[in-house]
Amino acid sequence: MVIQIVGLGLIGGSFCKAIRRSTDHTVLGMDISTKTVQQALREGAIHAEGTAATLKTADLVIVCLYPEQTISFLLEHREDFRKGGIVCDACGVKTAVVDAVSGSLDRSGVRFVGCHPMAGRELSGFGASKADLYDGASFILTPIAETDPDAIAFLEEFARSIGFGQTVTASPTQHDRIIAATSQLAHVVSNAYIKSPTLREQAGFSAGSYLDLTRVAKLSEEMWTSLFLLNKDPLLFEIDTIIENLKQYRDAIAAGDADTLRNILREGRELKEADLQTNR
Amino acid sequence: MVIQIVGLGLIGGSFCKAIRRSTDHTVLGMDISTKTVQQALREGAIHAEGTAATLKTADLVIVCLYPEQTISFLLEHREDFRKGGIVCDACGVKTAVVDAVSGSLDRSGVRFVGCHPMAGRELSGFGASKADLYDGASFILTPIAETDPDAIAFLEEFARSIGFGQTVTASPTQHDRIIAATSQLAHVVSNAYIKSPTLREQAGFSAGSYLDLTRVAKLSEEMWTSLFLLNKDPLLFEIDTIIENLKQYRDAIAAGDADTLRNILREGRELKEADLQTNR
């Protein structure tokens, strides 16, 4: 079949390379930068350039742009997709995207499914993309009541065929609440952590724990500003929750209250141990 | 020479194994648990059991107990060490230990140096100890004005001889301020992070960022309660700082203020990038 990837950054580029590696599908690559398209062609990541006109030839279109651009692209090109064709996105927030485009695409006869490939790197752009980025990762689908069941089944099989380890189905709301806790909060906390002035004088002291806590502080502020603002309420809940929890440790330490401190640390250890049993 | 290790847990056991692996020194192991001493003997991690009586035979004694026990052991046995012998500890807080024992040990003719081997695991006990735990790690020394320079030089050479990658000298106060930011805060934040109720429903969503952020949530609440309370002020400063910083993200998100949010995220990214240049 013919697959058109829109946006050849880290996510889109990795889709192209994974599809080329694992399947015989024809891959068309569309990007605002001619240079990037040329590079993708040279590296054999795509068979040919994709354009607005070639969208009609694609059995599957995967839009890999930032959330706002994903929404405008889908709405702008809603009549350019093949009738009955399958279109999905790859944004890290789902309610905002699914709510904005589902009705229009539906009326245009396009089978749209909100998706989120759970993988990333601290790097971005086509140069950072790789064929194995998704190997073993989760491919999340966020269908709504109107979503075509065949399109869901098709995408689940497609995801596994290019290396994803599992597919997970959740409602857009459930996805956004959970992603606020597992991914967005991690980026906020990591970015806040690195701001301690004490860290400027710590050469030779850097422990593994500190490197872990600040790894994702190196983020794209453009992308994450957009993701955070499109997922306000769930993320605010998570930030407020961790602030409240941090205050408990703070107060126990300030009071020299060993019993309380030991108890709240034990609670955290036990939750992490339970979590390791579920998630490893 | 003869080296006596006091406390055969993760830290002490790893010292025994690293010394046995890399040197010809005689290693005596002292532990409150006879079982652990037997195991260390069986595994060849020590040559013989160490006792209060053998302390006098040791050129170097490394005390690897929790902070309170380290202080009581050093004070209780101050007349049992060899006059002119070198004694160091391995605690994660230094001002509390160095202040409590330096004068007494000095008057007893013992050359004491506060030390902190910067390595650890999420596991504890002799069973978790390993010969390569310190390979490439930092060995931190926290001498004071009265500390014998020869003892410092001796320990620096010793640390390198058993695999440490570098030695760092800092005042006890400087050590404690920095360790609050690089290690203690990481454990508090990680332990607080795992308490989000949303994480209980996240099977299949767990991203790398979340696993990094919560790795050290699995901690020994006994040990960390002690370390936190012995380093109150520096740690409170760090917790208050990250709470203040988190509130900035919170407020920008609540206000939908993309410019401010982008700016504070960029600041964090730039600090992390500068940090990577210094610490990797």
Side-chain angles (χ1 to χ4, degrees), chain A residues 118 138 181-182 191 193 195-196 198 202 204-205 210 212 215 221 238 240 249-250 264 269 275 279, chain B residues 118 138 181-182 191 193 195-196 198 202 204-205 210 212 215 221 238 240 249-250 264 269 275 279:
Chain A
M118 288 285 288
S138 280
T182 57
N191 201 270
Y193 195 113
K195 293 189 176 170
S196 162
T198 318
Q202 57 94 12
F205 282 72
Y210 146 76
D212 278 355
R215 184 178 63 86
E221 59 266 18
E238 298 301 332
D240 288 341
Y249 300 83
R250 196 228 170 272
I264 58 183
R269 169 179 62 75
D275 187 76
N279 289 300
Chain B
M118 289 284 288
S138 280
T182 58
N191 201 270
Y193 195 113
K195 293 188 176 169
S196 162
T198 317
Q202 57 96 11
F205 282 73
Y210 146 76
D212 278 355
R215 184 179 63 85
E221 59 266 20
E238 298 301 332
D240 288 342
Y249 299 84
R250 196 226 170 275
I264 58 183
R269 170 178 60 76
D275 187 75
N279 289 300

Side-chain angles (χ1 to χ4, degrees), chain A residues 129-192:
Chain A
S129 69
K130 42 185 201 168
D132 63 358
L133 183 69
Y134 303 124
D135 285 359
S138 280
F139 186 80
I140 303 177
L141 302 95
T142 60
I144 53 176
E146 295 76 14
T147 309
D148 176 41
D150 289 345
I152 300 173
F154 172 90
L155 283 167
E156 287 175 339
E157 204 193 308
F158 166 73
R160 280 192 218 98
S161 77
I162 63 166
F164 281 94
Q166 59 177 336
T167 60
V168 179
T169 302
S171 73
T173 318
Q174 192 191 11
H175 168 279
D176 287 354
R177 280 199 310 112
I178 297 180
I179 223 68
T182 57
S183 170
Q184 297 193 330
L185 180 66
H187 287 79
V188 170
V189 170
S190 199
N191 201 270

Side-chain angles (χ1 to χ4, degrees), chain A residues 9 30 41 57 61 79-80 131 162 199 239 245 250 257 266 274:
Chain A
M30 181 172 184
L41 277 167
T57 71
V61 176
E79 295 299 332
D80 298 332
I162 63 166
L199 293 175
I239 300 178
N245 280 315
R250 196 228 170 272
D257 182 349
R266 195 192 57 240

Side-chain angles (χ1 to χ4, degrees), chain A residues 118 122 138 140 166 168-170 174-222 224-226 228-229 231-232 235-243 245-259 261-273 275-276 278-280, chain B residues 118 138 140 166 168-170 174-222 224-226 228-229 231-232 235-243 245-259 261-273 275-276 278-280:
Chain A
M118 288 285 288
E122 294 103 291
S138 280
I140 303 177
Q166 59 177 336
V168 179
T169 302
Q174 192 191 11
H175 168 279
D176 287 354
R177 280 199 310 112
I178 297 180
I179 223 68
T182 57
S183 170
Q184 297 193 330
L185 180 66
H187 287 79
V188 170
V189 170
S190 199
N191 201 270
Y193 195 113
I194 197 73
K195 293 189 176 170
S196 162
T198 318
L199 293 175
R200 308 287 84 76
E201 19 167 339
Q202 57 94 12
F205 282 72
S206 85
S209 53
Y210 146 76
L211 290 174
D212 278 355
L213 266 283
T214 60
R215 184 178 63 86
V216 295
K218 184 163 175 298
L219 46 70
S220 156
E221 59 266 18
E222 283 300 330
W224 288 98
T225 294
S226 158
F228 291 166
L229 293 181
N231 201 29
K232 244 182 179 183
L235 181 54
L236 286 176
F237 172 78
E238 298 301 332
I239 300 178
D240 288 341
T241 300
I242 199 169
I243 289 177
N245 280 315
L246 286 170
K247 281 185 186 159
Q248 290 190 25
Y249 300 83
R250 196 228 170 272
D251 292 345
I253 294 166
D257 182 349
D259 285 341
L261 185 54
R262 200 180 299 112
N263 281 338
I264 58 183
L265 288 169
R266 195 192 57 240
E267 277 167 31
R269 169 179 62 75
E270 289 172 352
L271 286 168
K272 179 61 186 174
E273 283 169 353
D275 187 76
L276 283 170
T278 331
N279 289 300
R280 274 264 167 90
Chain B
M118 289 284 288
S138 280
I140 302 179
Q166 60 176 335
V168 179
T169 302
Q174 193 191 10
H175 168 278
D176 287 355
R177 280 198 310 113
I178 297 179
I179 223 67
T182 58
S183 170
Q184 296 193 331
L185 181 65
H187 286 79
V188 170
V189 170
S190 197
N191 201 270
Y193 195 113
I194 197 73
K195 293 188 176 169
S196 162
T198 317
L199 293 175
R200 306 288 85 74
E201 21 167 336
Q202 57 96 11
F205 282 73
S206 84
S209 53
Y210 146 76
L211 291 174
D212 278 355
L213 266 284
T214 60
R215 184 179 63 85
V216 295
K218 184 164 176 294
L219 46 70
S220 155
E221 59 266 20
E222 283 301 330
W224 288 98
T225 294
S226 159
F228 290 166
L229 293 181
N231 201 28
K232 242 183 180 183
L235 182 53
L236 287 176
F237 172 78
E238 298 301 332
I239 300 178
D240 288 342
T241 300
I242 199 169
I243 289 176
N245 280 315
L246 285 170
K247 282 184 187 159
Q248 289 190 25
Y249 299 84
R250 196 226 170 275
D251 292 347
I253 294 165
D257 181 349
D259 286 341
L261 185 55
R262 200 179 299 112
N263 281 338
I264 58 183
L265 288 169
R266 196 193 56 241
E267 277 167 30
R269 170 178 60 76
E270 288 172 352
L271 286 167
K272 179 60 185 176
E273 283 170 354
D275 187 75
L276 283 170
T278 332
N279 289 300
R280 272 265 167 92

